[in-house]
Amino acid sequence: MKVMCSVNPGHCTLIKYIFLLLIIIHLDLNTAESVWPLPQIVILSSERYQLKPQSFSFGYRRYLDTKHSCSVLDAAFKRYFSILFPGYTYDEWVFENEVFTLTISLDRHDCEGYPNQDSSERYKLNVFAGQASLNAETVWGSLRGLETFSQLVYQDDFGSYYINKTEIEDYPQFNYRGILLDTSRHYLPVQAILKTLDAMAYSKFNVFHWHLVDDPSFPYQSHKFPDLSNKGAFHPVTHIYTQSDVRRVISYARMRGIRVLPEFDSPGHTKSWGKGQSELLTPCYRGGTPSGTFGPVNPTLPSTYQFMASLLKEVASVFPDPYIHLGGDEVDFSCWRSNPYIRAFMHKMGFGLDFSKLEAFYIEKIVNITSVLRKTSIVWQDVFDYHERVRMLVEVWKQGCYLCEVRRVVKAGLRVILASPWYLDQPGPTHNWARYYNVWPLAFKGTEKQKSLVIGGEVCLWGEYIDATNLSPRLWPRASAAAERLWSNERQTSCVERAFPRLQEFRCKLLRRGIQAEPLYVGHCKHEYQSV
């Protein structure tokens, strides 16, 4: 771009200098504006302050002091210090007189619990000369504010750290912002799951939907039913999740403000279950005799519900989240139809030949079991399609007019999680991130009360073609497009062209933080991924 001057050369030089200065200021502001997902309200200034690792500290105020410290924040301070200043570790001792302090205050002390569906993530962040303040209603909101603060810090070409004067008021558009990982079709090492939790926190996701088991394998190690993993896992030692592993994942997620939602999908997707639990699955018949193959869980036997009650009681004691996903999708009725004992049960119950009623019968009993355990049930939309009367939370996953399905569910007075438009397991070019960005979960005809029943959405990464080798690049940064849709104001984030440079910058931040995120287009990052 040229600067055209119609004045004398001296004035022209001055104009060029001012123009260059404006460009520098503009670049600094663009760097400050690269927060992802975009906060609800941001006021930025060109005024900037230098930060130094040897004179930066975190502080407590209000409900937090030396007597009532917060383990979640103490751990976060160490993490974010290394993110702010790569190569440095957090030390409480400050060696310079002029200290820049980020002070945290909470409206209530809730550091010892777990995040849940009703946890507030609202925060206010103010950055001004020599200090910054972060106020949140809960510790989970303060974690979101720390992430925003970390993204506001940038380096100049000489390696010095800066942050601009900033005022932010922020909160999520939806309370449920999830990532589903499937650990049955391919086993994911615990370390890969933990790395995903890190990346989720960077994008402000707050629910890890753990699809633990399915047809191919049963890697969850049950204390009460050890044969489920001994016989149903790919390997009974190397490819299982011990309860110690599960506790580690839950603890790691909690420290990042992330819930862990377990899924034990039934009555379909249960072939691996039958290897370690006899008489659980339905024997299939051919020509009036058993074929030697097995279908879905047998819903006609009392022993089925005794087993499920015992297993779910254990699961409820291991996973602290008040929600549990019961699955209920893609049940193949052909095996039930072939079994004469199943058909006799159907006749006795007055179901006729409508096997969807048999599935509804089974699901209703499982939902009742989870209710006794004080857990809220989530099911895939298939269950609602078959049995609209069951009161539960519905996850919409099928393609087609998914908003039509959302509307149908909320009209029945049920809460909804939207997953249909965010299936990322299939290979696809990274530039199709805009497809996941241009999703409008509330773009259906309905009342405000009905729209309030849409509690959020979820990115699903099924495991047919995913293992630890391609988990991160398949997920990031495309999942971050969904993250902004679920966090930010729709009107402020409706333009793909304006979002692109921010997402590019955020992808570079992910690389610097050790997340192997795919490139969006031609270009480079100042700090490329180092572990290739």
Side-chain angles (χ1 to χ4, degrees), residues 57-78:
S57 69
F58 296 99
Y60 286 137
R61 183 173 65 238
R62 198 172 181 186
Y63 292 122
L64 299 168
D65 52 33
T66 54
K67 294 181 180 179
H68 300 93
S69 62
C70 178
S71 59
V72 173
L73 283 178
D74 289 340
F77 292 163
K78 293 179 180 180

Short mmCIF file of all heavy atoms in Angstrom, two decimals, residues 57-78:
data_model
loop_
_atom_site.label_atom_id
_atom_site.label_comp_id
_atom_site.label_asym_id
_atom_site.label_seq_id
_atom_site.Cartn_x
_atom_site.Cartn_y
_atom_site.Cartn_z
N SER A 57 3.06 -11.95 38.56
CA SER A 57 2.54 -12.83 39.61
C SER A 57 1.02 -12.93 39.52
O SER A 57 0.36 -12.07 38.93
CB SER A 57 2.94 -12.32 41.00
OG SER A 57 2.26 -11.12 41.30
N PHE A 58 0.50 -14.00 40.11
CA PHE A 58 -0.94 -14.18 40.28
C PHE A 58 -1.28 -13.89 41.74
O PHE A 58 -0.48 -14.17 42.64
CB PHE A 58 -1.36 -15.61 39.95
CG PHE A 58 -1.15 -16.00 38.52
CD1 PHE A 58 -0.02 -16.73 38.14
CD2 PHE A 58 -2.07 -15.65 37.54
CE1 PHE A 58 0.17 -17.10 36.82
CE2 PHE A 58 -1.88 -16.02 36.22
CZ PHE A 58 -0.75 -16.75 35.86
N GLY A 59 -2.45 -13.34 41.97
CA GLY A 59 -2.85 -13.04 43.34
C GLY A 59 -4.30 -13.41 43.59
O GLY A 59 -5.09 -13.58 42.66
N TYR A 60 -4.63 -13.53 44.88
CA TYR A 60 -6.00 -13.86 45.31
C TYR A 60 -6.66 -12.64 45.93
O TYR A 60 -6.01 -11.80 46.54
CB TYR A 60 -5.98 -14.94 46.39
CG TYR A 60 -5.67 -16.34 45.93
CD1 TYR A 60 -4.81 -17.15 46.67
CD2 TYR A 60 -6.25 -16.86 44.80
CE1 TYR A 60 -4.55 -18.46 46.29
CE2 TYR A 60 -5.99 -18.16 44.41
CZ TYR A 60 -5.14 -18.95 45.15
OH TYR A 60 -4.89 -20.23 44.77
N ARG A 61 -7.96 -12.58 45.83
CA ARG A 61 -8.72 -11.59 46.57
C ARG A 61 -10.14 -12.11 46.74
O ARG A 61 -10.70 -12.74 45.84
CB ARG A 61 -8.75 -10.24 45.82
CG ARG A 61 -9.49 -9.14 46.61
CD ARG A 61 -9.39 -7.76 45.96
NE ARG A 61 -10.04 -7.71 44.67
CZ ARG A 61 -9.43 -7.38 43.55
NH1 ARG A 61 -8.14 -7.09 43.56
NH2 ARG A 61 -10.08 -7.37 42.40
N ARG A 62 -10.72 -11.91 47.89
CA ARG A 62 -12.11 -12.22 48.17
C ARG A 62 -12.37 -13.73 48.21
O ARG A 62 -12.36 -14.39 47.19
CB ARG A 62 -13.02 -11.56 47.13
CG ARG A 62 -14.48 -11.45 47.57
CD ARG A 62 -15.22 -10.63 46.56
NE ARG A 62 -16.61 -10.45 46.92
CZ ARG A 62 -17.50 -9.87 46.16
NH1 ARG A 62 -17.14 -9.38 45.00
NH2 ARG A 62 -18.74 -9.76 46.55
N TYR A 63 -12.60 -14.24 49.36
CA TYR A 63 -12.82 -15.66 49.62
C TYR A 63 -11.58 -16.51 49.40
O TYR A 63 -11.62 -17.71 49.56
CB TYR A 63 -13.97 -16.23 48.78
CG TYR A 63 -15.32 -15.71 49.15
CD1 TYR A 63 -16.10 -15.05 48.22
CD2 TYR A 63 -15.82 -15.86 50.43
CE1 TYR A 63 -17.36 -14.56 48.55
CE2 TYR A 63 -17.07 -15.37 50.78
CZ TYR A 63 -17.84 -14.72 49.83
OH TYR A 63 -19.07 -14.24 50.17
N LEU A 64 -10.49 -15.90 48.95
CA LEU A 64 -9.29 -16.66 48.69
C LEU A 64 -8.13 -15.99 49.40
O LEU A 64 -7.81 -14.85 49.16
CB LEU A 64 -9.00 -16.70 47.19
CG LEU A 64 -10.07 -17.38 46.32
CD1 LEU A 64 -9.81 -17.10 44.85
CD2 LEU A 64 -10.11 -18.87 46.57
N ASP A 65 -7.52 -16.71 50.32
CA ASP A 65 -6.36 -16.18 51.02
C ASP A 65 -5.49 -17.35 51.43
O ASP A 65 -5.69 -18.49 50.99
CB ASP A 65 -6.77 -15.33 52.24
CG ASP A 65 -7.74 -16.08 53.15
OD1 ASP A 65 -7.62 -17.32 53.26
OD2 ASP A 65 -8.60 -15.44 53.76
N THR A 66 -4.51 -17.08 52.26
CA THR A 66 -3.59 -18.15 52.65
C THR A 66 -4.30 -19.25 53.43
O THR A 66 -3.89 -20.40 53.41
CB THR A 66 -2.45 -17.57 53.51
OG1 THR A 66 -3.04 -16.84 54.61
CG2 THR A 66 -1.58 -16.64 52.69
N LYS A 67 -5.41 -18.91 54.11
CA LYS A 67 -6.15 -19.92 54.86
C LYS A 67 -7.12 -20.70 53.97
O LYS A 67 -7.45 -21.83 54.25
CB LYS A 67 -6.93 -19.26 56.01
CG LYS A 67 -6.04 -18.65 57.09
CD LYS A 67 -6.89 -18.04 58.19
CE LYS A 67 -6.02 -17.42 59.27
NZ LYS A 67 -6.83 -16.79 60.34
N HIS A 68 -7.62 -20.05 52.93
CA HIS A 68 -8.59 -20.68 52.06
C HIS A 68 -8.10 -20.59 50.61
O HIS A 68 -8.66 -19.89 49.79
CB HIS A 68 -9.96 -20.01 52.18
CG HIS A 68 -10.53 -20.06 53.56
ND1 HIS A 68 -10.34 -19.04 54.47
CD2 HIS A 68 -11.27 -21.01 54.19
CE1 HIS A 68 -10.95 -19.35 55.60
NE2 HIS A 68 -11.51 -20.54 55.46
N SER A 69 -7.01 -21.29 50.33
CA SER A 69 -6.49 -21.29 48.97
C SER A 69 -7.35 -22.19 48.10
O SER A 69 -8.25 -22.87 48.56
CB SER A 69 -5.03 -21.76 48.96
OG SER A 69 -4.96 -23.09 49.43
N CYS A 70 -7.06 -22.18 46.83
CA CYS A 70 -7.86 -22.92 45.86
C CYS A 70 -6.93 -23.81 45.03
O CYS A 70 -6.14 -23.30 44.24
CB CYS A 70 -8.62 -21.94 44.96
SG CYS A 70 -9.62 -22.73 43.69
N SER A 71 -7.05 -25.13 45.20
CA SER A 71 -6.14 -26.05 44.50
C SER A 71 -6.30 -25.95 42.99
O SER A 71 -5.33 -26.08 42.24
CB SER A 71 -6.40 -27.48 44.97
OG SER A 71 -7.75 -27.86 44.72
N VAL A 72 -7.54 -25.71 42.52
CA VAL A 72 -7.78 -25.60 41.08
C VAL A 72 -7.02 -24.40 40.52
O VAL A 72 -6.36 -24.49 39.47
CB VAL A 72 -9.29 -25.47 40.79
CG1 VAL A 72 -9.54 -25.18 39.31
CG2 VAL A 72 -10.02 -26.74 41.20
N LEU A 73 -7.08 -23.27 41.23
CA LEU A 73 -6.38 -22.08 40.75
C LEU A 73 -4.87 -22.19 40.93
O LEU A 73 -4.11 -21.75 40.07
CB LEU A 73 -6.90 -20.84 41.48
CG LEU A 73 -8.26 -20.31 40.99
CD1 LEU A 73 -8.69 -19.11 41.82
CD2 LEU A 73 -8.20 -19.93 39.52
N ASP A 74 -4.43 -22.77 42.05
CA ASP A 74 -2.99 -22.94 42.25
C ASP A 74 -2.36 -23.73 41.10
O ASP A 74 -1.30 -23.38 40.60
CB ASP A 74 -2.72 -23.65 43.58
CG ASP A 74 -3.01 -22.78 44.78
OD1 ASP A 74 -3.04 -21.54 44.62
OD2 ASP A 74 -3.21 -23.33 45.88
N ALA A 75 -3.04 -24.81 40.69
CA ALA A 75 -2.54 -25.60 39.57
C ALA A 75 -2.62 -24.81 38.27
O ALA A 75 -1.72 -24.90 37.42
CB ALA A 75 -3.33 -26.90 39.46
N ALA A 76 -3.69 -24.03 38.10
CA ALA A 76 -3.85 -23.24 36.88
C ALA A 76 -2.77 -22.17 36.76
O ALA A 76 -2.29 -21.89 35.66
CB ALA A 76 -5.23 -22.60 36.85
N PHE A 77 -2.38 -21.57 37.89
CA PHE A 77 -1.33 -20.56 37.86
C PHE A 77 -0.04 -21.15 37.29
O PHE A 77 0.65 -20.51 36.48
CB PHE A 77 -1.08 -20.01 39.26
CG PHE A 77 -2.23 -19.19 39.82
CD1 PHE A 77 -2.29 -18.93 41.19
CD2 PHE A 77 -3.23 -18.71 39.01
CE1 PHE A 77 -3.33 -18.20 41.72
CE2 PHE A 77 -4.28 -17.96 39.53
CZ PHE A 77 -4.32 -17.71 40.89
N LYS A 78 0.31 -22.35 37.71
CA LYS A 78 1.54 -22.99 37.22
C LYS A 78 1.43 -23.28 35.73
O LYS A 78 2.37 -23.06 34.97
CB LYS A 78 1.80 -24.27 38.01
CG LYS A 78 2.16 -24.03 39.47
CD LYS A 78 2.40 -25.34 40.21
CE LYS A 78 2.74 -25.08 41.67
NZ LYS A 78 2.97 -26.34 42.43
#
